[in-house]
Amino acid sequence: MSKILAVHASPRGDRSHSRRLAEVFLAALQARRPQAQLTRREVGRALIPPVNEAFVAAAFYPEPNARPLSMQADLALSDELVNELLGHDLLVISTPMHNFSVPSGLKAWIDQIVRVGLTFDHTLDNGVAQYQPLVRGKKALIITSRGGFGFGPGGELESMNHADTLLRTVLGFIGITDVTVVAAEGEESADRTFDVSAAEAEERLRALAGEF
Ligand SMILES: Cc1cc2nc3c(=O)[nH]c(=O)nc-3n(C[C@H](O)[C@H](O)[C@H](O)COP(=O)(O)O)c2cc1C
């Protein structure tokens, strides 16, 4: 994987654990693959606009090749984000868990890159919509930090983890099914829970750098 798109979703800057963990992975990957090209997309500290009526009208315009200029303008950022995603082969998302899901900036980015005719398509089968992914040959790594503990597979709070499930579902929907999640948990614990979890996450990320 030689072209990496890193999407950063924490509203925090230097204090962000998910960003710090992402840097551990990216540094390890770049050390192994100095020629790898890295692009960064900020969605946590820069505004990605939410979908509005103009966006919906333009995105679902029945003749996508003949959109009026004003509609093309309404989709300009979305086009840019889609092309950016399509132009890379490894997607790295660093994100905190916010209210059992992802921060709104990351959700806004998702809403911009899930585009009919570009990243997915749909046909009718006896009047029932069938969806087809259009993205091929990409992998994703989700690097996440959580205040609580036990949101991972088999954990006590797994059923409340709508962050990983959202990301896996939506990435799979557009065709990115090879998704790995690495989490550090327990930032809000008073003991060493988070230190231990973050150290394990770092170790896993350094190992993963050799696998991508
Ligand atoms: C608005 C907000 C909502 C949060 N919601 C959750 C949550 O639902 N579950 C959880 O475990 N931690 C939650 N947290 C804690 C963060 O996930 C935790 O502090 C994480 O380490 C932050 O990542 P960052 O340092 O990359 O910003 C929340 C934090 C904030 C600011």
Side-chain angles (χ1 to χ4, degrees):
M1 310 240 95
S2 59
K3 295 183 92 182
I4 306 145
L5 174 61
V7 175
H8 301 289
S10 176
R12 302 206 285 187
D14 292 344
R15 295 169 60 218
S16 163
H17 294 289
S18 56
R19 285 177 193 270
R20 187 181 61 74
L21 290 169
E23 295 314 314
V24 169
F25 172 77
L26 293 170
L29 189 69
Q30 286 181 307
R32 286 172 177 270
R33 295 172 172 269
Q35 77 287 3
Q37 185 187 315
L38 172 63
T39 305
R40 291 179 190 271
R41 172 58 65 173
E42 181 60 56
V43 303
R45 289 161 70 83
L47 181 69
I48 303 291
V51 157
N52 59 15
E53 184 165 358
F55 175 99
V56 177
F60 292 92
Y61 190 67
E63 292 176 72
N65 294 325
R67 282 190 185 99
L69 283 177
S70 64
M71 284 193 170
Q72 293 177 34
D74 291 329
L75 294 177
L77 175 64
S78 173
D79 287 343
E80 180 186 333
L81 296 175
V82 166
N83 287 332
E84 187 171 73
L85 176 66
L86 296 179
H88 293 81
D89 39 35
L90 175 62
L91 171 65
V92 177
I93 297 177
S94 73
T95 183
M97 173 180 274
H98 273 185
N99 297 316
F100 310 101
S101 183
V102 298
S104 56
L106 182 54
K107 178 58 166 60
W109 179 82
I110 289 168
D111 291 341
Q112 298 281 345
I113 57 105
V114 178
R115 275 279 301 280
V116 64
L118 296 182
T119 54
F120 79 97
D121 228 332
H122 61 93
T123 49
L124 287 178
D125 184 4
N126 286 325
V128 179
Q130 303 288 326
Y131 300 95
Q132 298 90 33
L134 294 180
V135 181
R136 302 266 178 270
K138 299 189 196 308
K139 294 183 181 184
L141 172 63
I142 315 298
I143 301 172
T144 187
S145 180
R146 306 169 186 142
F149 189 89
F151 290 98
E156 247 186 309
L157 304 179
E158 182 183 9
S159 66
M160 296 166 81
N161 181 350
H162 304 292
D164 298 5
T165 45
L166 168 69
L167 292 168
R168 283 187 188 281
T169 300
V170 82
L171 292 173
F173 180 72
I174 63 171
I176 306 176
T177 53
D178 188 333
V179 179
T180 305
V181 177
V182 177
E185 291 197 304
E187 198 215 327
E188 286 159 1
S189 303
D191 58 13
R192 293 197 61 251
T193 301
F194 186 71
D195 292 344
V196 172
S197 179
E200 285 171 4
E202 284 184 35
E203 196 178 330
R204 174 110 194 276
L205 289 167
R206 289 198 185 92
L208 280 172
E211 296 171 24
F212 281 109

